[in-house]
């Protein structure tokens, strides 16, 4: 059977330890509850022996602490070794703020994890008067919870190890390519080649660590959310899921900012003169490239895994046979829950880490002249580090606002869940405004000089102008997020129109959903246009990069809410599979529904930030080519009427559609195989569909299908995105690359918004129908209207969870890769490429 019996020496289970030498009956038996007379569809686990004291996964806690402690020690050593600076001056400098923010984020994440680890995996019937009930049924349910938790853990761990093995080999090979091409392109400057390669490796492995950490925390927390949902009230279960997201959010931000800044400090040992800082910032772009490459494979691979299982489980289980979602009789249900962790958590974590790294690298390249042009002969390092200062300030703002959700305004009723989550996004956005203004006044000179992207003119700027760029990004992101909510929440008209369209079948549901997605792109694109125009006018393309960082200023909170959703979704699945009381599933479904709404807001933030990051990276690419060519190329910007540029503008617009087609088809191929496998098991084991089945589904076969398909299918789309700009630059030169990047950016942002919102609308239209009674106009769950909605939701799954989110990475990855290899492209026939068609 797939559900494993854990070794007595394995301490991965929180709060329990299997008894030694337990013999397990290999046959499925129907266990009778002596109190209720009911039967259970899953086999019993071996008897367990509880540890006293609440329990926790001590091995995982130690591993997490081993990650946090070295970074803290490294930070302290770096502070001590900095010369000629007093402790007070250091603490007040940009270095002090950035390092302290990173340490605080890691420590806060660790304490949030400790709070979760105190919850024992133990089924409990708790109310205000009776306390813990420990009858036979609780013992049986506890064993079952442990089995399901361990099955999801093993499945997720196995997939990520296989995926990251593939990624590691890619990283090693591609690092060799970077070392060779960058060194050659810079006149065999081996130091620049080595530093760029090193930063690429650090970015890639930090991204892997972020995704792996997110998966571990999510799996660790989902069963504890289920257990907490058995308690009276809403506060315990909400706080567990929210703290799980906080572990991921703050750990990723702390890890990302510390690794990036320590890498820069290490490179500064060689590039110590201010005139050399331009090379330092060029080398650090490899950090963003590494993070983005892993994000591509994580998003695509995880998305294919989770949606193949989800589509297969829905089509055969819900549509054909009418069994509930996450029913333990469905062979694909474990794979579906594993997919939530490897796709929606690990993949999403790597994606947003890449956004942070790329936005920061773009701002550093574009703002190098701020530090170099300083009147101080030693340069103004603090002013140049202003992009990292914004991220550091955002960590403190997000930490303060997290108390609103868990302590100051805790969730006490179902209708407060969505309000509290939305308040997190709104409060962090508005508190960021004064915090960044104060940081700009402190860390930027009263007046400073910035080299413009075109024309070779030095602009004179003031702190309030940079602050306004950040504010435009932060507020613009919030507006896009709220517009996304309007088009994807069943509280508003658009989704209800989609739900009503299901009365006439799946075809009209498809039409309405696709139309909604196209329409939902209008306002976000206009908002992005206004943000770009305003920030570009104020501070050139450096302003655009600051606006992108403004989108990500509350990244810790955005990640918290994004992880919260999959944790609640998994908690509901575990409750269904363990056959807990229906009130537990109702509670987790309510938590998940609120998470879906706020996750849609988060996707709006992510898409908007990706568009601005891509534009900023494009500006950095143009700047780097202009410097390499001594102002002979792109001195006055990019001329779109150049033949090669115009031709590749069209090619770039095609890339997102080709990518979406490849990923959608990959999900379809894997889903077809999953559907056939699930139906085969139902045909060969007809008693699986009985109310009290006497046969057990083969979960392992479905997990193998998702794993095999995702590892195979994630390579072609990822390779296309990575090698298209590289080959274009090598063969056709910088004019072709500039057209390719602009075309890809313009098409990707429209397609990403429409696909994500169509999928979200179909999903919530189905949920809206499920909430209706059989006597209502929409007939409720199990009706033909509901089946039409399930078809829409099934089509929307790869829209919103595979292709749509991955398009964010398409536009960012192509731009940052072009930036890293800019000198190499120019070295070939002065930017003309091997073919030299220009």
């Amino acid at each position: 059977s797939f559900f494993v019996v854990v070794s007595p020496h394995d301490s991965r289970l929180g709060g329990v330890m299997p008894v030694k030498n337990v013999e397990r009956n290999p046959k499925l038996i129907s266990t009778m509850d002596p109190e209720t007379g009911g039967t259970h569809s899953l086999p019993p686990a071996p008897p367990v022996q509880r540890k006293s004291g609440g329990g926790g996964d001590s091995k995982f806690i130690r591993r997490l602490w081993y990650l946090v402690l070295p970074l803290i020690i490294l930070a302290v050593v770096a502070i001590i070794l900095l010369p000629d600076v007093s402790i007070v001056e250091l603490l007040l400098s940009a270095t002090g703020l950035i390092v302290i923010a990173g340490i605080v984020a890691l420590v806060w994440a660790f304490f949030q994890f400790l709070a979760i680890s105190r919850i024992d995996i133990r089924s409990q019937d708790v109310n205000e008067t009776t306390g813990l009930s420990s009858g036979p049924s609780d013992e049986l349910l506890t064993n079952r919870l442990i089995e399901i938790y361990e099955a999801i853990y093993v499945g997720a761990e196995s997939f990520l190890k296989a995926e990251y093995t593939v990624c590691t080999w890619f990283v090693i090979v591609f690092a060799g390519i970077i070392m060779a091409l960058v060194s050659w392109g810079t006149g065999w400057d081996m130091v620049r080649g080595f530093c760029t390669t090193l930063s690429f490796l650090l970015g890639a492995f930090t991204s892997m660590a972020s995704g792996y950490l997110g998966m571990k925390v999510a799996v660790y927390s989902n069963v504890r959310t289920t257990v907490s949902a058995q308690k009276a009230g809403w506060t315990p279960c909400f706080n567990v899921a929210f703290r799980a997201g906080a572990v991921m959010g703050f750990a990723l931000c702390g890890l990302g900012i510390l690794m990036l800044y320590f890498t820069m400090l290490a490179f500064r040992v060689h590039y110590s003169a201010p005139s050399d800082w331009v090379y330092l910032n060029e080398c650090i772009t490899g950090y963003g490239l590494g993070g983005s490459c892993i994000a591509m494979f994580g998003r695509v691979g995880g998305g294919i895994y989770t949606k193949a299982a989800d589509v297969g489980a829905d089509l055969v289980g819900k549509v054909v046979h009418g069994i509930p979602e996450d029913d333990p009789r469905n062979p694909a249900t474990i794979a579906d829950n594993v997919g939530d962790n490897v796709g929606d958590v690990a993949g999403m974590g790597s994606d947003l880490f890449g956004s942070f790294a790329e936005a920061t690298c773009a701002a550093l390249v574009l703002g190098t002249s701020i530090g170099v042009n300083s009147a101080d002969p030693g340069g103004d390092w603090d002013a140049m580090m202003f992009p990292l200062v914004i991220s550091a300030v955002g960590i403190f703002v997000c930490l303060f606002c997290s108390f609103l959700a868990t302590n100051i305004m805790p969730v006490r009723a179902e209708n407060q869940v969505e309000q509290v989550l939305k308040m997190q996004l709104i409060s962090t956005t508005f508190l960021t405004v004064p915090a960044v203004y104060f940081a700009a006044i402190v860390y930027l000179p009263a007046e400073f000089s910035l080299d413009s992207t075109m024309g070779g003119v030095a602009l004179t700027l003031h702190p309030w102008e940079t602050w306004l760029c950040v504010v435009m990004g932060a507020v613009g992101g919030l507006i896009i997020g709220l517009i996304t909510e309007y088009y994807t929440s069943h509280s508003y008209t658009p989704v209800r129109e989609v739900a009503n369209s299901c009365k006439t079948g799946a075809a009209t549901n498809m039409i309405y959903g696709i139309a909604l997605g196209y329409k939902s792109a209008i306002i976000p694109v206009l908002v992005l246009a206004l943000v770009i125009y305003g920030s570009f006018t104020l501070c050139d393309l450096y302003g655009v990069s600051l606006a992108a960082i403004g989108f990500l200023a509350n990244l810790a909170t955005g990640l918290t809410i994004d992880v919260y959703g999959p944790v609640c979704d998994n908690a509901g699945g575990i409750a269904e599979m363990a056959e807990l009381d229906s009130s537990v599933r109702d509670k987790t479904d309510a938590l998940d529904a609120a998470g879906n709404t706020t996750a849609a807001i988060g996707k709006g933030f992510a898409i908007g930030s990706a568009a601005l990051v891509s534009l900023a990276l494009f500006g950095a690419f143009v700047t780097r080519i202009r410097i390499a060519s001594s102002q002979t190329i792109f001195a006055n910007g990019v001329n779109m009427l150049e033949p090669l540029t115009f031709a590749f503008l069209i090619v770039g617009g095609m890339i997102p559609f080709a990518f979406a087609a490849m990923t959608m088809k990959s999900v379809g191929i894997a889903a077809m195989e999953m559907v056939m496998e699930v139906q085969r098991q139902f045909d060969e084991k007809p008693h699986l569909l009985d109310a009290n089945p006497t046969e057990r589904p083969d979960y392992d076969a479905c997990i193998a299908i998702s794993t095999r398909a995702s590892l195979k299918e994630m390579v072609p789309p990822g390779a296309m995105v990575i090698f298209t700009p590289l080959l274009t630059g090598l063969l056709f030169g910088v004019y072709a690359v500039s057209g390719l990047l602009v075309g890809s950016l313009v098409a990707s942002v429209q397609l990403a918004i429409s696909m994500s919102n169509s999928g979200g609308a179909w999903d919530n239209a189905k949920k809206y129908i499920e909430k209706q009674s059989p006597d209502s106009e929409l007939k409720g769950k199990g009706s033909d209207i509901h089946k039409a909605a399930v078809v829409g939701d099934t089509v929307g799954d790869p829209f919103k969870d595979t292709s749509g989110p991955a398009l964010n990475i398409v536009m960012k990855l192509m731009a940052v890769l072009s930036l890293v290899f800019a000198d190499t492209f120019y070295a070939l026939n002065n930017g003309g490429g091997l073919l030299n068609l220009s």
Side-chain angles (χ1 to χ4, degrees):
S1 89
F2 180 73
F3 286 149
V4 296
V5 180
V6 183
S7 163
H9 304 290
D10 196 333
S11 62
R12 288 179 295 180
L13 296 178
V16 295
M17 182 68 72
V19 174
K20 295 183 179 180
N21 302 323
V22 174
E23 291 187 4
R24 182 169 181 177
N25 188 345
K27 298 181 180 179
L28 175 68
I29 58 174
S30 179
T31 50
M32 180 72 71
D33 189 322
E35 293 185 354
T36 64
T39 56
H40 303 280
S41 55
L42 290 178
V48 295
Q49 187 178 37
R50 292 190 178 92
K51 293 190 294 184
S52 59
D57 191 338
S58 57
K59 184 180 292 186
F60 186 31
I61 293 174
R62 288 197 304 271
R63 288 173 179 172
L64 189 63
W65 183 242
Y66 293 157
L67 175 67
V68 173
L69 188 59
L71 286 172
I72 295 175
I73 294 173
L74 184 60
V76 173
V77 171
I79 290 174
I80 294 174
L81 292 180
L82 283 173
D84 303 325
V85 179
S86 69
I87 295 296
V88 175
E89 290 176 331
L90 183 61
L91 292 177
L92 294 177
S93 67
T95 297
L97 177 66
I98 293 166
V99 172
I100 291 173
I103 293 174
V104 167
L106 290 175
V107 172
W108 180 249
F110 184 71
F111 279 117
Q112 294 297 294
F113 178 78
L114 287 180
I116 299 171
S117 69
R118 295 190 184 101
I119 299 171
D120 198 0
I121 304 180
R122 180 184 305 169
S123 179
Q124 46 193 302
D125 181 15
V126 175
N127 57 50
E128 295 178 355
T129 58
T130 62
L132 178 66
S133 169
S134 57
S137 60
D138 282 328
E139 184 75 16
L140 179 66
L141 292 176
T142 296
N143 296 339
R144 189 177 301 167
L145 285 172
I146 294 168
E147 281 195 294
I148 297 167
Y149 157 73
E150 187 68 13
I152 295 172
Y153 173 90
V154 171
E157 175 104 347
S158 300
F159 171 73
L160 278 189
K161 284 185 177 179
E163 181 183 52
Y164 286 166
T165 298
V166 175
C167 291
T168 299
W169 282 110
F170 164 80
V171 165
I172 293 172
V173 172
F174 202 66
I177 295 175
I178 293 173
M179 180 69 188
L181 291 182
V182 171
S183 298
W184 177 80
T186 55
W188 292 111
D189 187 339
M190 302 301 291
V191 174
R192 287 171 66 182
F194 173 77
C195 288
T196 304
T197 304
L198 179 61
S199 62
F200 167 77
L201 291 171
L202 289 173
F205 289 119
T206 305
S207 182
M208 289 188 206
S210 301
Y212 185 74
L213 174 66
M215 180 279 294
K216 293 279 285 187
V217 171
V219 174
Y220 187 84
S221 304
N222 54 32
V223 68
R224 288 165 172 80
T225 304
T226 305
V227 170
S228 298
Q230 295 180 285
K231 299 178 181 179
W234 291 81
T235 305
C237 52
F238 173 85
N239 282 0
V240 172
F242 186 84
R243 286 185 171 125
V247 175
M248 173 67 166
F250 285 95
L252 185 146
C253 289
L255 188 63
I257 198 171
L258 286 178
M259 289 296 294
L260 177 59
Y261 194 64
F262 288 156
T263 304
M264 296 189 71
L265 289 179
F267 290 174
R268 192 182 176 187
V269 173
H270 179 75
Y271 297 114
S272 56
S275 58
D276 291 335
W277 288 351
V278 61
Y279 304 123
L280 187 156
N281 288 331
E282 287 178 0
C283 292
I284 209 67
T285 57
Y287 189 81
L289 177 59
S292 198
C293 285
I294 300 304
M296 169 60 70
F297 291 119
R299 263 299 192 188
V300 175
I304 293 171
Y305 186 108
T306 183
K307 290 305 115 180
D310 199 357
V311 170
D314 283 354
L315 284 180
V316 183
K318 294 166 70 174
V319 176
V320 177
H321 297 286
I323 60 177
E325 187 171 358
D326 295 315
D327 192 294
R329 294 171 293 176
N330 193 324
T333 189
I334 291 290
D336 186 10
N337 282 275
V338 170
D340 290 337
N341 296 287
V342 299
D344 295 341
V345 176
M348 177 269 305
S350 297
D351 181 3
L352 289 178
F353 169 79
S355 292
F356 157 77
E358 289 157 329
T360 306
C361 292
L364 289 170
V365 171
L366 292 167
T368 301
S369 57
I370 296 175
V372 174
N373 295 344
S374 172
D376 186 342
D380 195 337
W381 178 264
D382 281 8
M384 192 173 71
M385 291 299 105
F386 184 62
L388 278 167
V389 168
I390 298 171
S391 299
V393 168
I395 288 174
F396 290 110
V397 170
C398 292
L399 193 154
F400 172 77
C401 290
S402 67
F403 285 102
L404 293 175
T406 56
N407 298 90
I408 300 173
M409 298 170 55
V411 173
R412 303 190 188 278
E414 179 180 350
N415 60 356
Q416 294 178 351
V417 178
E418 186 174 332
Q419 296 173 10
V420 169
L421 291 174
K422 198 182 298 183
M423 181 57 66
Q424 285 289 297
L425 291 171
I426 295 173
S427 62
T428 51
T429 298
F430 283 101
L431 283 180
T432 297
V433 173
V436 172
Y437 179 79
F438 178 76
I441 295 297
V442 172
Y443 294 104
L444 290 175
E447 189 174 278
F448 55 92
S449 174
L450 173 74
D451 292 344
S452 64
T453 307
M454 52 188 181
V457 180
L459 306 175
T460 301
L461 302 177
H462 306 86
W464 69 266
E465 292 167 313
T466 60
W467 166 75
L468 199 54
C469 292
V470 177
V471 171
M472 283 191 285
V475 176
L478 182 61
I479 293 172
I480 291 174
L482 295 177
I483 293 297
T484 304
E485 180 200 7
Y486 173 75
Y487 279 103
T488 56
S489 172
H490 57 60
S491 301
Y492 303 102
T493 302
V495 171
R496 296 191 178 191
E497 288 180 347
V498 174
N500 286 322
S501 72
C502 296
K503 295 176 185 177
T504 51
T508 47
N509 184 24
M510 295 292 100
I511 294 170
Y512 267 76
I514 293 172
L516 179 147
Y518 291 156
K519 189 176 180 181
S520 70
I522 297 172
I523 297 178
V525 167
L526 293 177
V527 171
L528 282 173
L530 288 173
V531 171
I532 291 169
Y533 176 79
S535 57
F536 202 135
T537 302
L538 284 172
C539 298
D540 203 77
L541 273 171
Y542 180 67
V544 177
S545 66
L546 292 181
I549 294 176
F551 265 81
L552 299 167
N554 58 352
L555 178 59
T557 294
L559 273 166
T560 297
I561 293 174
D562 280 337
V563 174
Y564 160 91
V567 169
C568 293
D569 190 7
N570 252 210
I574 291 171
E576 183 75 32
M577 286 184 283
E579 297 177 327
L580 300 182
D581 188 83
S582 60
S583 63
V584 177
R585 181 65 197 247
D586 292 341
K587 192 178 289 187
T588 57
D589 281 351
L591 295 174
D592 183 33
N596 284 339
T597 300
T598 50
I601 298 175
K603 286 179 182 177
F605 271 92
I607 294 170
S609 67
L612 294 181
V613 168
S614 301
L615 183 57
L617 289 167
F618 173 68
F621 168 77
V622 171
T623 300
R624 197 159 167 183
I625 292 296
R626 182 169 52 80
I627 294 172
S629 64
S630 302
Q631 308 291 335
T632 59
I633 299 179
F634 299 149
N636 295 308
V638 178
N639 182 5
M640 285 296 161
L641 295 181
E642 287 280 347
L644 266 180
T645 305
F646 196 83
F648 275 87
L649 180 72
I650 307 299
V651 175
M654 171 272 297
I655 295 296
F657 291 92
F659 177 85
M662 295 170 75
T663 51
M664 290 285 289
K665 186 176 179 182
S666 295
V667 172
I669 291 171
M672 284 178 62
E673 190 175 356
M674 186 70 71
V675 166
M676 299 298 291
E677 172 59 27
V678 173
Q679 187 58 49
R680 179 193 67 80
Q681 293 195 36
F682 283 148
D683 291 340
E684 294 181 0
K685 302 177 180 180
H687 294 295
L688 270 180
L689 294 171
D690 294 347
N692 298 303
T694 56
E695 297 177 288
R696 183 190 192 92
D698 183 3
Y699 301 111
D700 202 7
C702 293
I703 288 178
I705 289 173
S706 277
T707 301
R708 184 172 61 250
S710 58
L711 294 177
K712 176 184 176 182
E713 298 293 335
M714 74 178 185
V715 175
M720 181 191 72
V721 173
I722 291 170
F723 288 106
T724 296
L726 182 59
L727 293 177
T728 299
L730 293 175
L731 294 175
F732 300 99
V734 297
Y735 293 101
V737 172
S738 61
L740 184 79
L741 296 182
V742 173
S744 172
L745 165 61
V746 172
S748 291
V749 68
Q750 326 277 342
L751 192 58
I753 293 173
S754 64
M755 293 186 78
S756 295
N757 290 350
S758 287
W762 279 319
D763 184 13
N764 283 319
K766 179 203 69 174
K767 286 183 169 64
Y768 180 68
I769 292 172
E770 289 175 344
K771 295 175 70 174
Q772 308 302 309
S773 66
D775 299 329
S776 66
E777 191 177 353
L778 294 176
K779 304 300 181 184
K781 188 179 290 188
S783 64
D784 289 339
I785 296 175
H786 178 243
K787 289 182 178 180
V790 171
V791 172
D793 176 43
T794 304
V795 174
D797 277 338
F799 268 54
K800 67 181 175 65
D801 292 323
T802 306
S803 300
L807 285 169
N808 299 342
I809 307 171
V810 170
M811 45 184 157
K812 294 182 299 182
L813 179 54
M814 292 179 67
V816 73
L817 188 141
S818 301
L819 174 60
V820 169
F821 290 105
D823 287 317
T824 304
F825 296 160
Y826 177 73
L828 287 166
N829 291 321
N830 293 325
L834 289 173
L835 301 180
N836 203 20
L837 297 181
S838 60

